[in-house]
Amino acid sequence: MTNPPTPSGPRGDAGPAVEVRGLRRTYGTGPRAFEAVRGVDLTVARGTVTALLGTNGAGKTSTLEVVEGLARASAGEVRVLGLDPVADRAEVRRRTGVLLQRSGFSGDLTVVETLRMWAATVSDPRGVDESLAMLDLAGRADVRVAGLSGGEQRRLDLAMTLMGRPELVFLDEPSTGLDPESRRGVWLLVEQLVAQGATVLLTTHYLEEAERLAEHVAIMDAGRIVREGTQAEIVAGHPSEIRFETLPVGTATLPDLRGARVSTDGAWTVVRTPDLQATLTALLGWAAAEDVVLPALGARTASLESVFLEVADGTAADTAADPAPTATPTDETLEVVR
């Protein structure tokens, strides 16, 4: 993939690229109403990558659609590049690029025809040949969209998202369907965009993607942001983990590992500790002195993945105070809540 040219549009420290305060989004009315987004606050600094994470149904896409100006908020305030994404839609659209989960472009057009059509809707578009080269699609220019693989279609979507040299880019699961090599190519492209001044707000199910790209991370659960900050801030205070196959005598003979919590989960013994080095040193010292082998021993520091899985499992401490919604989503609302 080639280097993208510098995105056009205003630069400088003129406030956040995205600022969300008290955002709420409700589907339906009356007793059938379901609140998918419940009081979200989010700030995206210019020239950075922010990752919005969460399980399916957490409210990520429902939040993103409001920020993109594709839907109205039920309550709260949203500013994008200092503008109202709905009232100032024309100006916001000119300066942003949006990658949806599904594009819906005609499968009967070829790749080059699709890009030419899209270029006619964009002010100051980059060249079609440049767009093809940027996403490694030059060899597929004359192939109909319906004949592309899922990964190639995703790269075509991304080429159109970046055609207008946006200063703010919304990426909703950008690397879904891509093979590992193409996924890393997209990561490199995003890094190049940010290095040249663009801002990116993305959702992703690939935690490795968030760890690689994002300077700021927000984790959503049940319509709220429950963890937010830099990756270091999010994992701070989260325990590291030591794991080994449970000994025949269980945990009865283990040493006193101060500050650590020891539990067994079937065939595995798990030690969670705020001080991985000290706990691992004590455990290995005891094993050596007692001539005990710890089968399949492994240790890992706290990570974005471990925090995310804790949230997904419902075991994380919830920092939001808003009570859970009493309404149960109906079949109708479940179709639109994402």
Side-chain angles (χ1 to χ4, degrees):
M1 298 183 183
T2 61
N3 292 352
T6 303
S8 62
R11 289 290 179 271
D13 298 326
V18 176
E19 192 167 19
V20 176
R21 292 291 176 265
L23 175 62
R24 292 179 178 269
R25 187 175 179 191
T26 303
Y27 294 91
T29 58
R32 295 172 61 85
F34 177 70
E35 193 170 39
V37 182
R38 301 187 288 124
V40 163
D41 295 334
L42 180 67
T43 299
V44 178
R46 292 179 187 250
T48 65
V49 178
T50 294
L52 187 60
L53 306 180
T55 58
N56 288 330
K60 306 183 303 297
T61 298
S62 291
T63 298
L64 210 57
E65 286 175 346
V66 174
V67 177
E68 292 163 349
L70 301 177
R72 291 184 179 274
S74 301
E77 182 179 2
V78 178
R79 307 297 290 179
V80 176
L81 301 173
L83 303 168
D84 184 313
V86 175
D88 302 315
R89 175 65 178 159
E91 175 66 11
V92 171
R93 177 67 188 88
R94 184 181 67 81
R95 297 167 58 186
T96 58
V98 178
L99 178 72
L100 302 176
Q101 288 185 7
R102 297 178 182 85
S103 65
F105 289 100
S106 172
D108 294 329
L109 297 177
T110 65
V111 170
V112 71
E113 288 170 342
T114 301
L115 287 171
R116 286 171 181 163
M117 177 192 68
W118 190 249
T121 71
V122 177
S123 58
D124 188 27
R126 68 175 83 244
V128 170
D129 289 343
E130 179 184 348
S131 296
L132 288 169
M134 192 169 66
L135 273 302
D136 288 340
L137 289 169
R140 307 292 280 167
D142 296 323
V143 176
R144 294 185 184 276
V145 172
L148 298 177
S149 69
E152 289 170 339
Q153 290 186 19
R154 200 61 180 153
R155 280 152 51 199
L156 175 59
D157 294 343
L158 187 54
M160 290 188 287
T161 298
L162 302 178
M163 181 167 271
R165 300 181 178 87
E167 59 185 284
L168 172 61
V169 184
F170 299 104
L171 301 177
D172 200 353
E173 300 183 20
S175 61
T176 297
L178 298 183
D179 60 72
E181 182 180 3
S182 296
R183 182 174 299 130
R184 280 163 176 74
V186 169
W187 296 351
L188 180 59
L189 182 61
V190 170
E191 290 169 341
Q192 292 168 345
L193 285 168
V194 174
Q196 295 165 358
T199 304
V200 176
L201 173 58
L202 67 87
T203 70
T204 181
H205 285 298
Y206 296 110
L207 295 180
E208 182 186 2
E209 186 165 84
E211 289 175 332
R212 165 75 179 262
L213 297 175
E215 298 159 69
H216 191 89
V217 175
I219 302 177
M220 290 192 71
D221 181 53
R224 294 172 291 166
I225 291 178
V226 296
R227 296 285 180 90
E228 184 179 10
T230 65
Q231 294 185 43
E233 289 169 341
I234 285 179
V235 303
H238 193 75
S240 300
E241 184 178 283
I242 302 167
R243 179 182 292 261
F244 53 89
E245 291 182 6
T246 301
L247 301 174
V249 293
T251 61
T253 62
L254 289 180
D256 180 17
L257 303 172
R258 294 185 178 182
R261 291 184 292 114
V262 181
S263 62
T264 57
D265 181 13
W268 293 94
T269 294
V270 179
V271 180
R272 293 181 174 87
T273 172
D275 189 338
L276 178 60
Q277 181 172 331
T279 301
L280 188 58
T281 298
L283 183 63
L284 292 176
W286 166 82
E290 299 294 328
D291 196 24
V292 172
V293 174
L294 299 172
L297 175 67
R300 66 177 185 178
T301 59
S303 65
L304 184 59
E305 178 183 13
S306 61
V307 176
F308 178 85
L309 291 176
E310 187 178 80
V311 171
D313 291 340
T315 58
D318 192 342
T319 58
D322 196 24
T326 56
T328 300
T330 64
D331 290 341
E332 178 182 352
T333 56
L334 281 173
E335 292 179 358
V336 291
V337 177
R338 292 168 287 174

